[in-house]
Amino acid sequence: MLPRGFAAGAVGSEYLGADGGVHPNYRGAFELLEELGRGRLTERWRQGRRQAMLDSFTFLMDPRVYRTVPADWIPRIIPQGEWETISTGIGQRLRALNLFLLDLYNGRQTVVPDDVIYSCQYFYPEYQDFRPARDVFVHIYGSDLVHMEDGRYVILEDNLRIPSGIAYQLKAVEMAGQLLPEVESAYDIVPYDIRETYLDLFRSLCDVEDPVCVLLTDSKFGAAFFEHRYLSELLGIPLVEGSDLHVGHDGRIMARGLDGDAPVDLIYRRVEDLEIFVPGLTDAYLAGKVALVNGMGTSAADDKLVFKWVPDMIRHYLGEEPILDQAVSYDLQNAESRRYVLDNLDRLVVKTRQGYGGLGVYIMPDLGGEFRTSLARNIIEQPRMFIAQETLDFSRHVIFDEETGEFENRYIDLRVFAVQNGRGQVTVFPGGLTRVSRANSRITNNSSGGLCKPTWVVR
């Protein structure tokens, strides 16, 4: 059983070996899938869709429309040796980014040009001289990588503001085990449990042994409410909206409850604009009255242009060479770089600096020529709004379409999650969230219509 176009059209697919046949890592999985046959696979995919609906496994692109997460259950398999390189590189990157932010808000930052920082939408000068609890700004970090044909994993973006997706990673793996138990049992999958790591993180940031922690959501109508609810239940902490919190007379954050108000020690925030949700929360945070995960100000390092200088941060703060490569990027304020980008626009990727979820990403080789003129004009008029990157031809994977009974090859990326606690210990969770592009596209974000896929690290 081979996907449509497997022999000739699947070049660059991870499940292929150097000889064009199935990669050794996937032979067991493909043999079992072939034994099941397309009829039973179709039924299991439909069962997965029904289960996703019952479990509210959703990502709401439109709050008026109930939408389960599009998913494919054929697993992505990463050998443990490859994973160790990814894990070490992600940990290195997280430590450097945190040290950069600590310097940035305490007047010692010299790596990124000042005009880049001052033009960053999410740089907050009012946080100058602020040091967060245990000097940790970045507690939870997500990094987007793609796998190249030469075996390298290359970083595309950093996510430090409110990195989302860890619950989708967990749920995809859980459901794959339920839907394809034969395949799961054939592999020695590296296990992991995020619960204790997260709770240890929370405790490490607080001065009390048993801190009161809450997860702040933007409401049940938010796009990622499934994740907020899932993590609240997994971690055993209350899920609250802005109206559930207020600032008490002593400046502490209080949570409203049936038995009266209770002080909150830590907020795992899943919203950006704190003052809209809880007036006075920013002042309470800056006064050390409450800990935030992630800290305010992290978004300065989430900027797509600041990304260009992360390798320099690693060298400056850690005295090391970057373990993982990142996409070649161009600062469009630089006249020479801007000239190069305008001359080669048809083969580059252009991003708005504050875009997210696939928004503001223009993969020029995949767009019509009529878009080129207007984008070039915008770059000339407002070069500080954009960053350009070389287009990467990254790996693809197979998905099964239960509607047609056919197999297709789609582009995939990988969002890897890491946690840094108040003692400086970094944990990188095995596997990550594999995101799958729409047909005839390289954009994988679920908010842009992409799918997700279970990811296993195997011994």
Side-chain angles (χ1 to χ4, degrees), residues 212-217 238-248 252-257 261-269 271 274-281 290-292:
V212 176
C213 307
V214 298
L215 191 155
L216 177 59
T217 180
L239 181 64
V240 300
E241 297 185 23
S243 58
D244 297 317
L245 304 176
H246 68 96
V247 180
R252 294 195 65 184
I253 299 298
M254 309 296 289
R256 296 182 173 91
D261 295 348
V264 172
D265 299 299
L266 180 142
I267 299 173
Y268 177 16
R269 68 183 185 99
V271 302
L274 293 181
E275 291 302 307
I276 293 177
F277 292 90
V278 187
L281 177 52
V290 67
L292 293 180

Side-chain angles (χ1 to χ4, degrees), residues 354-383:
Q354 278 76 45
Y356 63 92
L359 301 175
V361 177
Y362 308 104
I363 303 175
M364 300 306 293
D366 299 343
L367 294 174
E370 69 277 2
F371 190 76
R372 186 187 193 283
T373 301
S374 61
L375 183 59
R377 182 184 302 113
N378 287 335
I379 290 172
I380 293 169
E381 293 176 351
Q382 304 179 81

Side-chain angles (χ1 to χ4, degrees), residues 93-346:
R93 202 170 177 94
L94 170 52
R95 286 190 292 271
L97 283 163
N98 188 74
L99 291 169
F100 160 74
L101 286 165
L102 196 60
D103 268 6
L104 175 63
Y105 287 108
N106 286 274
R108 300 189 300 263
Q109 191 283 128
T110 59
V111 178
V112 181
D114 287 344
D115 69 306
V116 173
I117 294 297
Y118 298 145
S119 61
C120 174
Q121 178 179 338
Y122 292 110
F123 168 63
Y124 299 106
E126 61 268 32
Y127 294 172
Q128 284 297 322
D129 301 322
F130 172 70
R131 302 180 78 96
R134 313 299 186 262
D135 283 350
V136 179
F137 273 98
V138 189
H139 310 101
I140 300 172
Y141 166 63
S143 184
D144 296 343
L145 307 89
V146 291
H147 191 199
M148 307 299 291
E149 194 170 350
D150 60 9
R152 292 178 302 135
Y153 285 86
V154 177
I155 306 278
L156 290 184
E157 291 184 0
D158 299 303
N159 299 272
L160 301 92
R161 269 187 293 181
I162 310 165
S164 64
I166 185 70
Y168 297 92
Q169 170 184 342
L170 298 172
K171 187 65 175 176
V173 169
E174 172 195 321
M175 289 187 64
Q178 296 169 353
L179 297 170
L180 295 173
E182 308 92 335
V183 180
E184 182 186 59
S185 62
Y187 286 86
D188 184 7
I189 302 170
V190 176
Y192 61 97
D193 179 1
I194 76 165
R195 184 178 188 275
E196 186 51 42
T197 302
Y198 270 61
L199 294 178
D200 176 65
L201 160 66
F202 297 164
R203 290 191 295 265
S204 74
L205 299 174
C206 299
D207 295 324
V208 294
E209 187 173 336
D210 190 18
V212 176
C213 307
V214 298
L215 191 155
L216 177 59
T217 180
D218 54 357
S219 87
K220 63 183 179 182
F221 300 108
F225 182 72
F226 162 79
E227 176 160 80
H228 304 172
R229 177 178 58 83
Y230 185 102
L231 290 173
S232 168
E233 294 174 359
L234 176 68
L235 301 174
I237 63 175
L239 181 64
V240 300
E241 297 185 23
S243 58
D244 297 317
L245 304 176
H246 68 96
V247 180
H249 70 277
D250 60 354
R252 294 195 65 184
I253 299 298
M254 309 296 289
R256 296 182 173 91
L258 295 176
D259 299 324
D261 295 348
V264 172
D265 299 299
L266 180 142
I267 299 173
Y268 177 16
R269 68 183 185 99
R270 299 305 303 265
V271 302
E272 175 64 36
D273 299 311
L274 293 181
E275 291 302 307
I276 293 177
F277 292 90
V278 187
L281 177 52
T282 301
D283 287 341
Y285 171 60
L286 295 176
K289 300 288 188 178
V290 67
L292 293 180
V293 174
N294 277 340
M296 288 298 291
T298 57
S299 41
D302 202 274
D303 186 286
K304 302 295 189 291
L305 181 55
V306 172
F307 169 87
K308 180 180 186 300
W309 282 272
V310 176
D312 294 328
M313 296 178 199
I314 293 171
R315 297 182 184 101
H316 178 78
Y317 290 109
L318 305 180
E320 302 169 358
E321 283 299 309
I323 294 169
L324 296 171
D325 293 333
Q326 68 175 47
V328 175
S329 303
Y330 299 98
D331 176 7
L332 299 177
Q333 189 70 23
N334 178 282
E336 185 177 347
S337 295
R338 185 168 62 251
R339 187 179 305 110
Y340 170 82
V341 167
L342 292 171
D343 288 345
N344 296 276
L345 194 56
D346 291 335

Side-chain angles (χ1 to χ4, degrees), residues 16-28:
L16 291 180
D19 60 356
V22 176
H23 193 285
N25 293 331
Y26 285 94
R27 284 175 188 159

